[in-house]
């Protein structure tokens, strides 16, 4: 018998996991997110913000970088040793993601370069005291607050151990361990 039953289980509460939980909850799904730490955000709490291409922020700064140009640049840089379809989709949706985050109250300082010869694709989160480390924690907080508002259940200090599959090989749940060391099953 399962300890929990839900429609969607998200394993890990970094920006990707938080975004997945929020998106699923916005679509009306019942969501449980498990996170091994006692806070959400993961390593991104130390970061400064996400990548985006063709955002309204770049356009306001008169940065003329297209998805196609950025795609060609990254594919050539990696010698085509990455999943081009995934990269293209990520780039195509990145400007919309900035707007989605802004709808949750995230503000951005602007678009900046990661390093001298790169294009200004780094959208640094506004933190109030200038540009610096840990700015993205404000983005993670906004995602967490939105997820809570939408009814996402958070199981903190709970580690995912195994993805469970039924007889046909379809994913049907997650085996996890909570902070007391007790195994729990989420169906």
């Amino acid at each position: 018998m399962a300890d929990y039953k839900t429609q969607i289980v998200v394993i890990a509460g970094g920006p990707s996991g938080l975004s997945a939980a929020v998106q699923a909850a916005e679509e009306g799904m019942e969501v449980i997110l498990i996170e091994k730490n006692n806070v959400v955000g993961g390593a991104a709490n130390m970061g400064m913000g996400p990548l985006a291409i063709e955002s309204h922020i770049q356009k306001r700064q008169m940065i003329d970088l297209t998805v196609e140009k950025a795609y060609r640049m990254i594919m050539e840089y990696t010698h085509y040793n990455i999943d081009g379809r995934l990269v293209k989709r990520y780039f195509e949706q990145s400007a919309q993601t900035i707007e989605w985050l802004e709808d949750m109250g995230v503000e951005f300082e602007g678009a900046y370069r990661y390093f001298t010869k790169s294009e200004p694709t780094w959208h640094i989160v506004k933190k109030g005291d200038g540009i610096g480390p840990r700015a993205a924690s404000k983005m993670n907080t906004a995602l967490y607050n939105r997820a809570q508002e939408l009814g996402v259940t958070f199981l903190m200090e709970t580690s995912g151990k195994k993805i469970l599959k039924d007889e046909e090989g379809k994913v049907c749940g997650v085996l996890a361990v909570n902070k007391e060391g007790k195994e729990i099953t989420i169906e």
Side-chain angles (χ1 to χ4, degrees):
M1 184 165 159
D3 297 283
Y4 296 90
K5 189 170 181 158
T6 190
Q7 291 175 296
I8 302 282
V9 179
V10 176
I11 301 171
S16 295
L18 288 166
S19 295
V22 168
Q23 183 67 50
E26 285 180 341
E27 297 292 326
M29 306 296 265
E30 184 181 327
V31 182
I32 294 176
L33 184 145
I34 61 174
E35 168 55 50
K36 68 180 178 181
N37 294 307
N38 63 355
V39 296
V40 295
N45 283 329
M46 305 299 280
M48 294 169 59
L51 170 143
I53 299 162
E54 294 185 13
S55 74
H56 70 90
I57 294 167
Q58 288 168 314
K59 290 174 185 174
R60 184 178 64 229
Q61 291 177 221
M62 294 192 276
I63 297 165
D64 187 26
L65 175 66
T66 65
V67 166
E68 285 303 319
K69 180 181 177 187
Y71 176 74
R72 282 192 314 275
M73 288 168 59
I74 194 69
M75 294 307 289
E76 288 172 12
Y77 179 77
T78 61
H79 304 285
Y80 295 84
N81 286 319
I82 57 176
D83 186 336
R85 290 176 301 161
L86 185 62
V87 170
K88 183 99 179 239
R89 186 169 182 198
Y90 174 60
F91 285 3
E92 288 172 342
Q93 295 178 348
S94 62
Q96 177 184 340
T97 300
I98 294 297
E99 292 173 11
W100 183 69
L101 289 165
E102 288 176 322
D103 288 345
M104 283 180 249
V106 178
E107 297 179 75
F108 294 91
E109 290 284 351
Y112 297 86
R113 298 174 188 273
Y114 285 107
F115 49 90
T116 308
K117 293 184 180 183
S118 68
E119 295 286 340
T121 59
W122 190 12
H123 287 60
I124 296 178
V125 176
K126 188 177 284 189
K127 65 177 206 163
D129 59 351
I131 295 172
R134 295 182 170 76
S137 64
K138 285 195 168 277
M139 176 183 70
N140 295 328
T141 298
L143 286 162
Y144 177 68
N145 291 340
R146 178 68 175 141
Q148 285 189 309
E149 179 183 299
L150 292 166
V152 172
T153 299
F154 286 85
L155 302 179
M156 304 304 290
E157 298 180 81
T158 302
S159 298
K161 293 298 175 190
K162 184 177 181 182
I163 295 175
L164 305 174
K165 297 180 180 180
D166 63 18
E167 302 80 35
E168 297 173 9
K170 294 179 182 176
V171 173
C172 63
V174 173
L175 179 65
V177 176
N178 67 16
K179 64 182 173 183
E180 289 83 30
K182 179 185 176 226
E183 280 192 350
I184 61 171
T185 304
I186 307 167
E187 187 177 294

